[in-house]
Amino acid sequence: MTVIKRRTLLAGATMLPLPALAQAAWPARPIRLVVPFAPGGTTDIVARILAANLQERLGQPVVSENRPGAGATLASAQVAQAAPDGYTLVVSNSASHGISPTLFRNVRYDSMADFTHIALAATTSTAIVVNPRYEAQSMADLIRIGRMRPDGLDFAISGHGTTTHLLGMRIGLATGIRMNPILYRGAGPALIDVIAGTVGLFVDGLPSSIGHLRDGTLRAIAVADAQRNRHLPNIPTLAEAGLPGMTSYSWFGVSGPKGMAPAVVERLNTEIRAILQLPAVRQRYNELTADAPDMTPAQYAAFIEEEVRVWGEVVRATGATAD
């Protein structure tokens, strides 16, 4: 009788569904965290902070892998097609999931339908910055001068499909100024030309420009925050400059292919939210001028859905394109 019972239990164990067995063992091997941008930028820095801390907490290697290209859509499309087993993740961000799917033609994924959104990891502010010798030294100057020029104003952008690109176009739409984006391959090359005076105006993420603003090689004339930014308390918001509701943030999170196991998603979300509260991470975020939001997977998904709606409206209204 004992033998029969033991055989029955063993038979029942072998009939557990494979996904349940895999889920119970997760993570059992290294995890890839794909970064849709080149090394060195804010997206890459956030990814490396997450990878190092997740590796320690999960007990498996978490490898940060840079795969830039096509407005951050190349890497995102590849992750969307990966197995939803929790071993291939992507740093979803304002470009790859908020803007590029509308701005670029033939993007091979849907920001909502093709992904499991796990956690929002960081947000950073956007500033309107100028060369100190640029003719406009305030938003009022910029609007006045821009309206006088039929050919509009040139402004540097660090990539198509970024919030900085679309914010510049949105400012033009609100003020009646023709805004001409000058594309650079990243914030670094753009900053070199703006500091040199080749292009006088730059819509930039605060992490890359804050050092230059502090040493005086650049000047901020507005920030795209709802309130004044704690790192630039003397700089007015765009709302204060007469453009109400004009806010813009770059954001960075973690997503995976659609269909990931809820238990794996919950584990990752819990670990990421705990990492964001670590004193060393908070200090590093402060250096980056980044904030650490606290969101559940459902809240992060809703956040992305709203970003897609807002920036889609801007793309359609301005006729912005990356092609």
Side-chain angles (χ1 to χ4, degrees), residues 29-244:
R29 54 187 172 85
I31 298 166
R32 292 170 59 225
L33 180 59
V34 182
V35 185
F37 290 100
T42 306
T43 314
D44 180 61
I45 293 170
V46 170
R48 292 179 186 276
I49 291 171
L50 291 176
N53 284 279
L54 281 171
Q55 178 168 304
E56 182 177 339
R57 300 174 76 90
L58 296 176
Q60 288 288 343
V62 179
V63 181
S64 179
E65 179 182 310
N66 297 88
R67 298 183 69 85
T73 65
L74 180 64
S76 301
Q78 292 171 344
V79 172
Q81 296 165 10
D85 53 14
Y87 293 103
T88 304
L89 307 172
V90 66
V91 182
S92 45
N93 59 85
S94 44
S96 64
H97 286 72
I99 296 174
S100 288
T102 304
L103 191 68
F104 284 78
R105 298 174 187 171
N106 302 318
V107 172
R108 302 194 311 276
Y109 61 84
D110 183 289
S111 294
M112 301 306 299
D114 295 332
F115 293 89
T116 301
H117 297 302
I118 298 165
L120 179 60
T123 61
T124 60
S125 298
T126 304
I128 316 302
V129 303
V130 297
N131 182 290
R133 299 180 301 278
Y134 187 59
E135 55 194 324
Q137 292 292 303
S138 69
M139 280 303 297
D141 286 346
L142 189 77
I143 294 170
R144 176 179 53 80
I145 293 168
R147 285 174 172 167
M148 293 169 56
R149 294 187 176 169
D151 57 345
L153 298 174
D154 294 344
F155 72 105
I157 63 170
S158 57
H160 283 309
T162 60
T163 52
T164 54
H165 173 196
L166 266 292
L167 178 61
M169 302 304 291
R170 191 178 178 190
I171 289 171
L173 183 67
T175 59
I177 298 170
R178 177 179 175 179
M179 299 293 287
N180 308 312
I182 307 300
L183 177 65
Y184 287 84
R185 295 179 66 84
L191 283 165
I192 290 171
D193 269 13
V194 176
I195 291 169
T198 306
V199 179
L201 174 65
F202 189 20
V203 181
D204 190 28
L206 199 54
S208 55
S209 61
I210 189 67
H212 300 289
L213 296 173
R214 287 170 174 162
D215 68 19
T217 52
L218 289 178
R219 174 185 171 91
I221 60 175
V223 292
D225 293 74
Q227 295 85 32
R228 290 201 177 195
N229 189 280
R230 69 182 188 279
H231 298 281
L232 297 171
N234 296 322
I235 305 303
T237 65
L238 285 172
E240 290 178 280
L243 298 172

